[in-house]
Amino acid sequence: MIRYDEPSRTFSLNTPNTSYVMGITDSGYLCLYHYGRRVEHILPHPSWDELRTRDKLSYMDLAPFEYSAGGVGDYRPAALLVETLDGSQVAELTYVNHAISKGKPKLKDLPATFGSDTDAETLSITLEDKTAGVKVTLLYSVFEGIDAIIRSAQVENTGNGRFFICKVMSTSLNLVNNDYELLTLSGSWGREKNIESRPIGRGFQGVSSKRGISSAQEHPFIAVTTKGVTDTEGEVYGLNLLYSGNFRALAKLDQFDHVRAEIGIDPENFRFSVEPGESFQTPEAVTVYSSKGLGAMSRTFHDLYRQHLIRSPYTHKKRPVLINNWEATYFDFNTDKLLSIAKEAAKSGIEMLVMDDGWFGDRFDDNRALGDWKVNEEKLPGGLSYLVKEVNALGLKFGIWMEPEMVCPDSDLYRAHPDWAIKVPGREPGLARNQLVLDITREEVWQYCFESIKNVLSSANIEYLKWDMNRPLADVHSMALPADRQGEFFHRYVLSLYRMQEAVLKEFQDLLLENCSSGGGRYDAGMLYYSPQVWASDDTDAIERLKIQEGNMLIYPLSTMGAHVSDCPNHGNGRITPFETRGHVALFGTFGYELDITKISEEERAQIPGQIALYHKYNELIREGDYYRLASFSKNNEFDCWSVNAKDGSECLVAYVSVFARMNMKGRTVKLQGLDPDALYKVEGTDETYYGDVLMNVGYHFPEIRGDFQSRLVHFCRV
Ligand code: GLA
């Protein structure tokens, strides 16, 4: 997969359909010669290399440097900016050596893709500027059968005094073309990951987060695509960062109509001190190239993450069908209420009760008590052990909600340790949802949070944890860091969070962890290293979920997407949708319920066992299969359609949601994808059969459905 050709001094990283070719130029720079469709042969020596002797600055601003440091004439975005002892930010990185090895190294303290000696290879290339005392090791890994390149950089101080890293990208990518578009996943609370596209013009286009979390507003992902890219056609370069904090991802069109794209930690609010002999490791970034549109990119990300990122023992397992009491009761519950829900849930085939926010301290609303992780005995007499025993006796597993990183000013914890919250000395910190963030970069605070989780989880038979995080960081300052190292805080916060999740998982190896951050505010590839699923959005309305889930499915496997059936009128937007449609939409995520099962209508309750049967029947296909986007409600404003196909082409489950009924439309014909063209497929429950090529090239006809928000599931099986 990885090859070095000594005569031409080129590196080729070949995946099934792509090649990433770098070369060492005559002057010793590492440049990108090609990234795109696979090439088998050695590339010619690039013509721009001749410029160098006559006019260094023109050369520096033209050559496609793989990892450019600032200050020597490359005026495009620098991958690395290091401020050395003399205060300058100048470094010129040239090739020192390289090594190709089997396997995939772990990254210290950071999430990382994993692989074995038989399915992964890694290239490390060392570059150095001796004058500045900056050594950079670029890591590139590829996995057998997967069209992705995994990159990260390690920056080492080889000088005599400390330096500050002011900017350090995980990936910097040069592309030749002037007709690209930039695709992003942007949104807000309750409206996460809307797919947006814009032309890449001169200047900077991109997204970032300064919130301390990856955020609901922007996402650490961009795709540089050819104009008018579709799900099946066009070129795509998708960049995704395995990181859950501040990030920047952008693309810039330069004076020669070339694009430089980059993704990494946001340089704003970032300044990291590195002592001589120490080094800094960036998070990993994944780049996926597809010449067959967005769909092929999605499937590559899904395969990569399912096989080489999500470590949980649950990754390839059916998760228990849960019922969560948040939208059922909010803060107004007690043991009896929860047991009445559990009892009814058990009758319908639900397998786990999750007790959400409000079970601890005097948490009767969201104004107080975060940090006080002691059971509220007024609500739960006999504590967790009694409740959990009773729930287990009904045949259900038990899960719990915590928000470990937080503290409310009105809490025993804050009264005892006001200095544990993140705030700038002498300034009143701003509240969000009446809470502050704990400074988990401080060891004693970290220990308190970790011990709190440990105590709760070991106090009863708790098999699932929903780890929430409901406000962004602001007023940032840490008592653990001197003034000249406050710029390290945001990154150290993320590292402390990762360390805590790692420690919890080590202690509770069978725990099913679901991350959450006011819905999907931290639904990123970094968190997937720790939890196999993330709550996708606080918006549980089936129709709004179509857009949110389409955005998530663009890069993340369906098996990671927390999705529940909730009550109507929907608590978030008041929409009334059929119970069946709510079930169909949630089926393509982790699946569960978020409603008061004792209060919904008899007619709706009667549908639950049937929905759960669908879950058991189709979950393996949905979890492990290939996802195809067939039509997009966010584009056509009328209907949505997608499928999951078995990898061997033996079956395909199509979901069709007719969002708005229209008169005299005579239904809609949708072309399926990814089937075996010569195989005959039978539509389950009917006598209809179709050949794969007919379904793909002519289409399948969905008859007209009356009324809005209606859905159909169609299951095709090879006969
Ligand atoms: C966040 C979560 C919700 C719920 C509440 C509880 O908003 O996204 O699912 O857990 O917190 O306060």
Side-chain angles (χ1 to χ4, degrees):
M1 293 184 282
I2 300 180
R3 216 170 54 200
Y4 177 63
D5 178 63
E6 178 58 43
S8 63
R9 301 182 89 197
T10 51
F11 301 95
S12 301
L13 284 71
N14 286 332
T15 68
N17 302 294
T18 77
S19 289
Y20 192 94
V21 185
M22 292 172 281
I24 305 159
T25 69
D26 293 346
S27 328
Y29 300 111
L30 182 69
C31 287
L32 183 68
Y33 291 1
H34 167 72
Y35 184 33
R37 282 201 180 93
R38 184 164 168 143
V39 283
E40 301 295 339
H41 302 102
I42 302 300
L43 271 71
H45 201 73
S47 56
W48 38 257
D49 214 13
E50 284 144 29
L51 252 181
R52 154 91 181 160
T53 44
R54 208 195 78 81
D55 181 352
K56 181 178 171 188
L57 292 199
S58 296
Y59 173 85
M60 297 308 283
D61 208 24
L62 172 67
F65 296 113
E66 192 55 11
Y67 203 78
S68 180
V72 287
D74 179 354
Y75 299 107
R76 296 158 293 178
L80 178 69
L81 287 175
V82 175
E83 185 184 309
T84 43
L85 260 190
D86 62 7
S88 67
Q89 291 192 5
V90 177
E92 189 169 354
L93 297 170
T94 50
Y95 172 84
V96 179
N97 57 33
H98 74 270
I100 297 172
S101 55
K102 292 202 179 308
K104 167 71 184 57
K106 286 186 171 175
L107 298 191
K108 192 173 171 295
D109 305 329
L110 281 163
T113 52
F114 55 84
S116 68
D117 284 1
T118 52
D119 66 9
E121 276 178 22
T122 298
L123 162 69
S124 74
I125 306 178
T126 303
L127 312 175
E128 190 167 16
D129 180 318
K130 285 214 166 70
T131 316
V134 178
K135 192 191 226 178
V136 176
T137 303
L138 300 175
L139 293 175
Y140 299 83
S141 297
V142 287
F143 295 103
E144 189 72 49
I146 293 187
D147 285 322
I149 309 284
I150 289 79
R151 286 179 62 179
S152 73
Q154 205 179 72
V155 182
E156 191 186 332
N157 185 340
T158 53
N160 302 319
R162 80 161 166 181
F163 62 53
F164 289 100
I165 301 177
C166 304
K167 179 183 179 188
V168 59
M169 290 292 106
S170 297
T171 279
S172 171
L173 184 66
N174 298 284
L175 301 170
V176 183
N177 193 331
N178 62 350
D179 212 11
Y180 282 126
E181 291 185 337
L182 186 74
L183 187 148
T184 59
L185 295 172
S186 304
S188 182
W189 171 63
R191 285 184 278 111
E192 295 89 343
K193 295 198 183 78
N194 291 341
I195 300 174
E196 289 178 10
S197 221
R198 69 198 85 158
I200 298 180
R202 300 267 184 239
F204 300 96
Q205 286 93 45
V207 287
S208 67
S209 168
K210 295 188 266 187
R211 294 165 196 266
I213 49 176
S214 49
S215 90
Q217 286 71 14
E218 309 288 359
H219 195 67
F221 166 81
I222 51 172
V224 176
T225 72
T226 44
K227 216 173 185 170
V229 69
T230 68
D231 290 300
T232 52
E233 277 165 19
E235 287 188 286
V236 186
Y237 297 88
L239 274 63
N240 193 199
L241 191 66
L242 274 62
Y243 192 60
S244 312
N246 292 351
F247 73 88
R248 169 191 280 189
L250 58 79
K252 182 183 193 286
L253 186 67
D254 73 12
Q255 56 180 332
F256 304 113
D257 288 346
H258 300 168
V259 169
R260 179 168 287 172
E262 64 178 20
I263 193 163
I265 294 175
D266 190 13
E268 249 186 78
N269 307 310
F270 176 85
R271 189 175 144 88
F272 215 97
S273 150
V274 183
E275 297 291 336
E278 284 181 358
S279 53
F280 180 89
Q281 172 66 55
T282 72
E284 271 186 359
V286 176
T287 307
V288 171
Y289 169 76
S290 151
S291 61
K292 296 204 172 91
L294 294 165
M297 175 200 74
S298 301
R299 289 185 289 280
T300 300
F301 273 115
H302 293 187
D303 286 343
L304 175 73
Y305 291 162
R306 281 184 298 209
Q307 293 170 34
H308 299 288
L309 174 68
I310 311 167
R311 300 169 301 167
S312 166
Y314 293 93
T315 313
H316 301 289
K317 280 194 191 144
K318 215 182 331 158
R319 323 285 156 78
V321 177
L322 64 82
I323 185 158
N324 176 303
N325 76 310
W326 178 240
E327 287 197 23
T329 65
Y330 297 101
F331 294 97
D332 186 15
F333 64 86
N334 55 25
T335 299
D336 289 346
K337 178 71 215 171
L338 293 175
L339 290 179
S340 71
I341 291 177
K343 207 170 188 174
E344 196 57 54
K347 283 193 222 156
S348 302
I350 291 171
E351 298 159 315
M352 179 161 73
L353 174 77
V354 174
M355 178 171 65
D356 211 280
D357 193 357
W359 58 266
F360 51 90
D362 61 346
R363 185 95 168 151
F364 290 94
D365 56 32
D366 62 5
N367 290 319
R368 65 204 88 250
L370 288 173
D372 298 344
W373 300 109
K374 297 252 158 46
V375 179
N376 179 321
E377 294 257 352
E378 200 182 320
K379 290 187 187 185
L380 308 178
L384 285 176
S385 59
Y386 173 74
L387 172 66
V388 177
K389 266 189 209 127
E390 292 295 308
V391 170
N392 287 166
L394 291 166
L396 266 65
K397 296 173 188 291
F398 185 84
I400 202 164
W401 176 98
M402 289 184 80
E403 198 179 352
E405 300 154 72
M406 296 292 154
V407 65
C408 289
D410 183 1
S411 66
D412 293 342
L413 179 66
Y414 191 78
R415 282 182 283 275
H417 299 286
D419 62 298
W420 281 14
I422 296 171
K423 53 186 162 182
V424 183
R427 297 182 73 91
E428 192 58 36
L431 296 171
R433 210 191 189 204
N434 250 318
Q435 62 197 60
L436 295 167
V437 187
L438 289 166
D439 183 356
I440 55 170
T441 70
R442 287 172 60 184
E443 192 54 28
E444 65 274 40
V445 184
W446 189 97
Q447 284 298 342
Y448 174 84
C449 296
F450 174 63
E451 289 298 326
S452 301
I453 301 168
K454 208 169 127 183
N455 290 341
V456 169
L457 294 183
S458 45
S459 68
N461 182 24
I462 299 174
E463 299 180 65
Y464 158 110
L465 173 65
K466 177 175 172 188
W467 182 312
D468 212 339
M469 198 289 187
N470 280 320
R471 61 153 287 175
L473 274 57
D475 301 291
V476 162
H477 177 274
S478 174
M479 286 171 64
L481 290 166
D484 61 355
R485 292 179 57 187
Q486 291 294 325
E488 300 175 20
F489 181 76
F490 276 104
H491 182 57
R492 288 191 179 279
Y493 184 90
V494 179
L495 295 182
S496 303
L497 165 72
Y498 288 153
R499 187 183 143 215
M500 204 183 300
Q501 295 218 339
E502 186 74 34
V504 168
L505 292 170
K506 197 166 168 221
E507 190 82 28
F508 302 94
Q509 302 203 346
D510 294 328
L511 182 74
L512 173 56
L513 180 62
E514 175 155 352
N515 270 294
C516 172
S517 178
S518 303
R522 217 161 49 181
Y523 185 170
D524 56 58
M527 298 317 286
L528 291 180
Y529 186 65
Y530 304 91
S531 65
Q533 58 194 64
V534 186
W535 181 228
S537 179
D538 280 347
D539 190 339
T540 55
D541 166 55
I543 301 307
E544 299 241 281
R545 274 281 179 146
L546 295 176
K547 281 189 186 179
I548 297 167
Q549 297 191 178
E550 182 184 357
N552 279 311
M553 294 190 277
L554 188 71
I555 40 180
Y556 299 125
L558 283 60
S559 60
T560 65
M561 193 165 64
H564 300 162
V565 175
S566 65
D567 201 5
C568 276
N570 182 269
H571 295 192
N573 65 9
R575 183 177 281 125
I576 298 175
T577 52
F579 200 74
E580 183 182 38
T581 303
R582 285 176 258 160
H584 287 167
V585 174
L587 189 67
F588 287 83
T590 55
F591 195 69
Y593 293 84
E594 179 131 355
L595 41 72
D596 188 343
I597 193 170
T598 67
K599 286 200 182 138
I600 58 172
S601 70
E602 190 47 54
E603 193 195 330
E604 290 187 342
R605 200 165 35 240
Q607 293 185 48
I608 295 179
Q611 290 183 337
I612 293 177
L614 288 180
Y615 170 77
H616 290 304
K617 183 169 174 191
Y618 294 128
N619 182 257
E620 189 179 341
L621 174 63
I622 291 170
R623 214 179 53 230
E624 311 286 347
D626 283 337
Y627 159 74
Y628 290 89
R629 173 57 48 181
L630 306 175
S632 165
F633 167 59
S634 43
K635 290 200 193 105
N636 64 35
N637 282 315
E638 288 186 18
F639 71 106
D640 217 38
C641 194
W642 68 94
S643 78
V644 181
N645 300 11
K647 287 199 175 284
D648 64 1
S650 60
E651 59 173 330
C652 157
L653 181 67
V654 182
Y656 171 77
V657 182
S658 176
V659 179
F660 297 120
R662 300 197 56 204
M663 195 167 145
N664 196 27
M665 277 301 292
K666 316 283 187 229
R668 293 179 183 99
T669 299
V670 178
K671 289 178 181 160
L672 308 195
Q673 294 173 36
L675 299 173
D676 175 352
D678 298 320
L680 190 64
Y681 290 89
K682 183 169 184 301
V683 181
E684 191 190 326
T686 73
D687 294 330
E688 291 170 42
T689 52
Y690 303 88
Y691 278 99
D693 63 346
V694 173
L695 289 170
M696 293 193 291
N697 301 337
V698 181
Y700 177 78
H701 186 73
F702 289 92
E704 188 170 320
I705 319 178
R706 292 179 67 80
D708 292 342
F709 318 134
Q710 305 293 320
S711 63
R712 296 285 180 269
L713 281 185
V714 186
H715 186 213
F716 296 87
C717 287
R718 191 165 54 194
V719 289

